[in-house]
Amino acid sequence: MFLTACGDRPDDELPDRVAEHKNVSIIPGDASPAKTIRLQKRWEIGHEGDLLLNDIYAMTTDRHGNVYISTGDQIHLFDPEGNYRETIGQYGSGPGDLVTVFDMQIVDNTLYALDFSQLRIQLFSTESLEPDGIIKLDIHDLPHAENAIPPFPLKFRIGNDRSILIGFQYSDPAALALHFYRFDRDGNLISDQLLSLLLIEVLPVPGTDHFVPSPVGGRGLFQFGPDSRIFTASTKEFFIKAYGTDGRYQSALYHPLEKRELRSRDAMETTSDDRQRKALAASTLPEYWPLLEDMVVDDEKRIWVSVDTGDADIHEWRVVDMDGSLLARFDLPLNRKIKKIRNNYLYALDTDDGTGLETLLKFELIFEPGH
């Protein structure tokens, strides 16, 4: 598999919705990559003896290349060659116990595991693999609507001062959103809302007070960068914005690409759910299909974005930077999701369409001169 890259930076005219932002870089829609990247497979992790990795919630790596995989109430450790080493944690509420780990981060020699079900961060030593403390998150002062589902922590980053930036999912029926707040190292709230991101567009169900996710509406994408900056985008267009850890806007990247027209018949065929079909029939549909599918930021601040092309089996990925360079363009199967890119290794999750079983693959990124 080969990827190509380049760095064109023309001064295209910006649409009004983009031009209102400062520090916007532009990549023209017809930009041509000029380098190649070869993806060389190193290993895959799936069924390991009695260990069946299914429902992989999160993964991270340490500086040695060891891989930590969360399956909810356990974390499985593999060495850089993909060999199983040990399982960390077990189901429960005591020290070292886990229920639902949705995000992990390694700082120095400590693994931080965000357990949203228990509203806490469990710490483990990466040297002894033993429990090394608990940070209980005090969310009593977080604002939320009366009688609404309480917000739960979805993603986090540990700052240099050990304060914790956390994105909480708010499940208001009419708006599923992610709100960012900062907590101190003891789990106490120390900021107002820093940033808000709409996660999923919803539609009202005719004749009821209910809302359903729109199968053709926009979604919010976000990623933490290696410096804990927050990168956000809407799937409606290739327009990525970067925010500081204080939630303040810094810069943006715009890449105008052609979108596929959305026909009402095609929209109805996206779902068999009766409530969604009723909501679609009663709503004004978007003019175009969502353009973006996914986004990943690697440890060198390159941004990897999956773009819809209308192909039922593959998605096109584009690798860019915030300075306005198209670094690569390549295709991946639809069932292959990039989970992490670090030290020029790409980790991707394959899901078997028939069984639903998941396999984690590791690829080495080999940069080569363009053709």
Side-chain angles (χ1 to χ4, degrees):
M1 188 180 301
F2 289 87
L3 324 180
T4 55
C6 80
D8 296 322
R9 302 180 184 178
D11 296 324
D12 289 3
E13 183 178 351
L14 298 178
D16 291 341
R17 65 184 180 280
V18 177
E20 65 184 20
H21 293 79
K22 297 180 180 179
N23 302 324
V24 179
S25 298
I26 310 168
I27 301 176
D30 59 355
S32 299
K35 284 188 177 181
T36 62
I37 303 175
R38 182 161 50 92
L39 295 183
Q40 182 168 329
K41 183 179 174 182
R42 290 303 184 188
W43 50 245
E44 65 179 68
I45 296 172
H47 182 74
E48 296 290 327
D50 294 332
L51 176 62
L52 181 63
L53 292 180
N54 197 21
D55 294 330
I56 296 177
Y57 286 68
M59 69 148 292
T60 192
T61 60
D62 62 24
R63 66 179 184 274
H64 304 295
N66 297 308
V67 179
Y68 301 75
I69 299 174
S70 164
T71 54
D73 58 4
Q74 290 184 320
I75 299 170
H76 307 287
L77 173 61
F78 295 82
D79 69 19
E81 303 306 317
N83 301 307
Y84 170 76
R85 284 184 53 193
E86 192 167 340
T87 293
I88 306 169
Q90 61 185 359
Y91 181 85
S93 57
D97 291 342
L98 308 168
V99 176
T100 317
V101 174
F102 251 29
D103 196 16
M104 298 183 290
Q105 183 186 1
I106 294 176
V107 180
D108 296 330
N109 294 320
T110 301
L111 169 65
Y112 294 77
L114 176 62
D115 189 335
F116 84 79
S117 295
Q118 302 196 75
L119 294 174
R120 72 186 198 182
I121 299 175
Q122 173 67 58
L123 281 62
F124 296 94
S125 167
T126 57
E127 296 179 341
S128 68
L129 304 182
E130 294 295 324
D132 195 25
I134 295 174
I135 302 173
K136 296 181 179 179
L137 302 176
D138 185 356
I139 68 167
H140 292 95
D141 293 331
L142 282 182
H144 67 278
E146 187 177 357
N147 299 323
I149 299 174
F152 65 84
L154 190 64
K155 295 289 184 179
F156 79 107
R157 277 298 178 272
I158 305 295
N160 293 332
D161 59 356
R162 293 301 187 267
S163 66
I164 313 166
L165 181 62
I166 305 179
F168 284 84
Q169 180 171 311
Y170 277 68
S171 300
D172 186 305
L176 188 64
L178 198 65
H179 297 173
F180 291 87
Y181 295 89
R182 186 172 298 282
F183 288 70
D184 65 20
R185 65 180 65 194
D186 296 318
N188 301 305
L189 179 67
I190 57 174
S191 79
D192 294 327
Q193 180 181 302
L194 300 175
L195 185 65
S196 179
L197 173 66
L198 181 67
L199 288 178
I200 300 176
E201 288 188 351
V202 297
L203 299 173
V205 180
T208 74
D209 295 330
H210 301 294
F211 294 81
V212 292
S214 171
V216 294
R219 293 182 295 110
L221 304 175
F222 95 96
Q223 284 279 306
F224 285 116
D227 52 3
S228 295
R229 284 191 300 167
I230 303 172
F231 294 86
T232 72
S234 166
T235 57
K236 293 181 178 181
E237 60 183 344
F238 205 127
F239 182 42
I240 301 171
K241 289 176 277 188
Y243 296 85
T245 56
D246 56 2
R248 295 181 181 179
Y249 168 82
Q250 293 183 344
S251 62
L253 174 70
Y254 180 59
H255 188 20
L257 296 178
E258 185 176 353
K259 305 175 186 178
R260 290 191 298 133
E261 183 179 357
L262 176 62
R263 298 177 298 179
S264 59
R265 181 183 63 185
D266 295 332
M268 296 297 288
E269 291 178 353
T270 60
T271 179
S272 59
D273 184 274
D274 185 59
R275 295 197 307 166
Q276 282 187 319
R277 292 176 67 88
K278 288 181 179 179
L280 284 171
S283 302
T284 301
L285 296 178
E287 187 177 355
Y288 302 102
W289 289 94
L291 177 62
L292 307 186
E293 291 290 336
D294 202 0
M295 179 173 68
V296 176
V297 180
D298 67 20
D299 58 336
E300 296 188 15
K301 303 178 185 178
R302 297 172 299 204
I303 304 172
W304 303 60
V305 183
S306 175
V307 178
D308 168 66
T309 61
D311 193 303
D313 299 316
I314 63 171
H315 275 155
E316 179 186 284
W317 283 83
R318 298 196 174 207
V319 188
V320 301
D321 64 29
M322 292 298 288
D323 293 331
S325 297
L326 175 64
L327 305 175
R329 188 171 61 209
F330 65 105
D331 293 334
L332 283 181
L334 190 63
N335 68 338
R336 179 167 295 174
K337 178 180 175 64
I338 297 176
K339 296 293 292 183
K340 192 177 187 68
I341 302 167
R342 182 178 182 183
N343 295 331
N344 281 328
Y345 288 103
L346 183 150
Y347 301 85
L349 190 65
D350 273 13
T351 303
D352 186 275
D353 293 333
T355 65
L357 296 179
E358 297 174 332
T359 301
L360 185 69
L361 301 98
K362 177 181 179 179
F363 297 92
E364 182 178 0
L365 296 174
I366 301 175
F367 292 81
E368 299 176 336
H371 299 289

